[in-house]
Each structure stands twice: as C-alpha cells, then as structure tokens.
C-alpha cells in the first residue's frame, strides 16, 4: 500500500538546508502541506538568492514541484516563536497539526576542558530546548483536540538525535549531551501522548550537510553515489510520519545510506547486593576487571553500521538534500 500524507499538515524545523530540506521535500512529495521553518534573514550567510530566506527558497522548490508549503523564519529555541510556529501550522491545517519533525541544530565542537559556557549553552539551547519548545505546543494542541473530540487524534513527532550520543563523541560534549536529552524527551513524550493517538520517535541520522562538512570530508567523485546524501534519511521520516507507523512509538533509529537500524533499550548487565564501601569494592572491582578495557555505557559499534548495498545516486533518492 502506498504511503500518503495527503491532507496532512507538517512542520519541519531547520528545513532551509541539508537534512531538514530533504525531509521537507519528502513530506511534500507524499502530499503534506509543509511549514518549512529555518531561522534567518535573506542572504545572512551569503548563500541562496538575496531576495529570500533559506526557508522561502525551499518553499519555492516544493511549490515548483506541485507541492504545498509555507515558510516560517522564527527561532524555535525561543518559546514564543515556537508557539507561533505551531499556531501557524494549525491555522494552515484548518485547526489541525498532524506532523512535527524537529531537526534544527548547530555545532560548537570542542573538548570538554576547552569548551566555553556560551558554546555549551548555544548547542543545548537550539537542540534540546528547541525540541522541547515545539513539542510542548504541539502536544498541548493534540491533547486539547483529543479531549474535545472524545477520541484519539492523528499526531506524529520525529525528533533528531545523533550517533554522537550513542557512541560518546569525545569532542562534542555539548552536542552529545543535547542529543542524549532528546532521546529522554522522546521516550517521555511517547509515553505521555500515547493515549491521545500521538507517536514520538527519534532518528540518529548520518548525512553530509553544511553542519557536518568538517566531519565527513570523504566527498565522492562527481556523479558517484553518496551514502551520506541527506535524501537517504528522508524516507524513514516519511514513514514515521505516516499512518503506516501507528504502531511505532518511543523508538530510536540509526539511519544512513539506505540502512535503518532499530536501537535496543538499555539492559541490566549485572546486579549486586552490597552495602557499604567494602562490600561494593568486593563486588564491583573484580566485575569491572573482567570486562574489556575501555568498555563504557557508550556504544561505538554503531559507527560501524553500513548499508548492505550501494545507495541510489542522489538524484534518484526520495529527497535531494544538500
């Protein structure tokens, strides 16, 4: 059965470029009216036409392809502007919002012993607070609708975490912490909104974007397939936003290059009955001595996940992210 989002209204944050752009294009291609959010003014970084913001450029691209889209240039990390974004989408949807994709983010990479307070605050503000702000207003909308209608409603949230959280990226303490917080926000919100008909999931994408250009430097030759094209991530977002994913809730996925991995929740590795320092020493010291050197709660093996086959060239993938 073909996946369709016809008649649905969706918000994608940070959608002026990269992953967000690819996700917005995907949702629009599936039939949704997409509110394309990206913070900024015309030409503020010298990219794109001077007459329009990145959000407006993506809106024009969607409309040129026959889709429906509206631009929003507010800052989702600002509580009031996030509220206005959700209100805009609800108005466009004739009183309903169906899909929220939280993607907006920035990087300020540095080792923890060198990081400034501003570098910490900026990343946590945009990623974690930005996710909370939009989620808070979308959740309130769905709860009110459900109570008014006396039944479950349609709601989908797709959050953006990262392998940096799963693997414990040493040079990104702010980013890894924010992305770990997003997973906590995801699972908590999934439980809170389940009874209203809303699902909440998180993806950990690997993609070549402006934000990661200094991380993924192995650019393929022109015309060669690129496993890190953002368009390979967008179909999972389209699926999670669709009616077909009604039974998928509170999950975390790693996705890139045509590969999707479902992450397992943490399991109890060992249990000890011990009281006092001496008993703890007798139990824990030999236990950790028998574990591999350097093994921690982090799961760096996720970084070794690869697609089973070469991905489609960028122009054949569902979303053509930059």
């Amino acid at each position: 059965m073909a996946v369709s989002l016809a008649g649905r209204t969706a918000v994608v944050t940070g959608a002026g470029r990269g992953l967000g752009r690819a996700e917005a294009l995907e949702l629009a291609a599936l039939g949704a009216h997409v509110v394309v959010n990206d913070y900024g003014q015309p030409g503020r970084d010298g990219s794109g036409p001077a007459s329009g913001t990145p959000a407006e450029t993506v809106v024009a691209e969607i409309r040129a392809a026959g889709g429906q889209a509206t631009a929003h240039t507010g800052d989702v990390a600002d509580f009031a502007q996030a509220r206005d974004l959700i209100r805009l989408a609800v108005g466009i949807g004739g009183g309903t919002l169906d899909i929220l994709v939280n993607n907006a983010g920035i990087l300020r990479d540095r080792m923890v012993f060198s990081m400034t307070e501003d570098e910490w605050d900026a990343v946590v503000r945009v990623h974690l607070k930005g996710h909370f702000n939009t989620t808070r207003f979308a959740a309130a909308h769905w709860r009110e609708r459900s109570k008014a209608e006396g039944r479950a409603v349609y709601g989908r949230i797709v959050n953006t975490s990262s392998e940096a959280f799963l693997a414990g990226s040493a040079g990104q303490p702010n980013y890894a912490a924010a992305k770990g917080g997003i997973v906590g926000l995801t699972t908590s919100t999934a439980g809170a909104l389940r009874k209203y008909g809303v699902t909440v999931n998180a993806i950990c994408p690997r993609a070549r974007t402006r934000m990661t250009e200094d991380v993924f430097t192995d650019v393929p030759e022109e015309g060669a397939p690129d496993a890190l094209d953002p368009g390979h991530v967008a179909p999972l977002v389209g699926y999670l936003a669709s009616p077909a994913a009604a039974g998928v809730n509170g999950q975390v996925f790693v996705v890139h290059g045509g590969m999707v991995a479902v992450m397992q929740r943490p399991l109890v590795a060992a249990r000890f009955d011990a009281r006092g320092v001496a008993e703890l020493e007798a139990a824990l010291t030999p236990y950790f001595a028998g574990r591999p050197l350097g093994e921690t709660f982090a799961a760096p093996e996720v970084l070794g996940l690869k697609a089973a086959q070469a991905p489609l060239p960028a122009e054949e993938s569902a979303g053509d992210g930059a």
Side-chain angles (χ1 to χ4, degrees), residues 100-134:
L100 169 61
V101 180
N102 285 311
N103 170 76
I106 60 172
L107 287 179
R108 298 290 186 271
D109 292 352
R110 202 176 299 276
M111 299 298 287
V112 68
F113 41 76
S114 302
M115 182 161 288
T116 67
E117 181 181 14
D118 286 346
E119 288 167 340
W120 174 272
D121 288 348
V123 168
V124 172
R125 176 183 181 274
V126 175
H127 287 274
L128 186 52
K129 188 182 179 187
H131 271 61
F132 161 72
N133 285 347
T134 53

Side-chain angles (χ1 to χ4, degrees), residues 108-258:
R108 298 290 186 271
D109 292 352
R110 202 176 299 276
M111 299 298 287
V112 68
F113 41 76
S114 302
M115 182 161 288
T116 67
E117 181 181 14
D118 286 346
E119 288 167 340
W120 174 272
D121 288 348
V123 168
V124 172
R125 176 183 181 274
V126 175
H127 287 274
L128 186 52
K129 188 182 179 187
H131 271 61
F132 161 72
N133 285 347
T134 53
T135 296
R136 183 256 184 258
F137 292 108
H141 165 72
W142 285 316
R143 179 175 179 269
E144 290 165 6
R145 275 183 52 210
S146 178
K147 286 181 173 294
E149 298 175 19
R151 61 180 178 84
V153 297
Y154 189 100
R156 300 284 188 270
I157 299 177
V158 182
N159 289 330
T160 306
S161 184
S162 171
E163 292 172 294
F165 151 67
L166 294 170
S169 179
Q172 298 179 300
N174 48 3
Y175 184 71
K179 292 304 191 181
I182 286 168
V183 170
L185 175 65
T186 297
T187 55
S188 174
T189 308
L193 300 186
R194 180 186 296 113
K195 65 182 178 181
Y196 303 118
V198 179
T199 67
V200 190
N201 295 285
I203 63 171
C204 298
R206 193 186 305 176
R208 193 186 315 283
T209 68
R210 189 180 63 151
M211 197 173 83
T212 62
E213 61 188 0
D214 293 331
V215 179
F216 303 126
T217 57
D218 54 337
V219 181
E221 295 181 4
E222 187 175 353
D226 186 0
L228 297 181
D229 185 276
H232 302 308
V233 174
L236 176 60
V237 173
Y239 166 74
L240 292 173
S242 76
V248 184
N249 192 34
Q251 302 300 317
V252 178
F253 302 86
V254 171
V255 54
H256 56 85

Side-chain angles (χ1 to χ4, degrees), residues 86-96:
I86 299 304
R87 285 180 176 174
L88 172 65
V90 170
I92 289 170
T96 66

Side-chain angles (χ1 to χ4, degrees), residues 223-310:
D226 186 0
L228 297 181
D229 185 276
H232 302 308
V233 174
L236 176 60
V237 173
Y239 166 74
L240 292 173
S242 76
V248 184
N249 192 34
Q251 302 300 317
V252 178
F253 302 86
V254 171
V255 54
H256 56 85
M259 181 220 73
V260 175
V262 182
M263 294 295 99
Q264 187 173 16
R265 71 184 190 278
L267 301 175
V268 178
R271 177 187 175 277
F272 303 96
D273 292 311
R275 296 173 178 81
V277 175
E279 289 186 13
L280 289 168
E281 189 279 333
L284 294 178
T285 298
Y287 171 74
F288 282 103
R291 292 180 64 171
L293 184 66
E295 182 179 271
T296 71
F297 188 78
E301 61 271 18
V302 299
L303 300 178
L305 291 170
K306 297 188 183 300
Q309 58 186 14

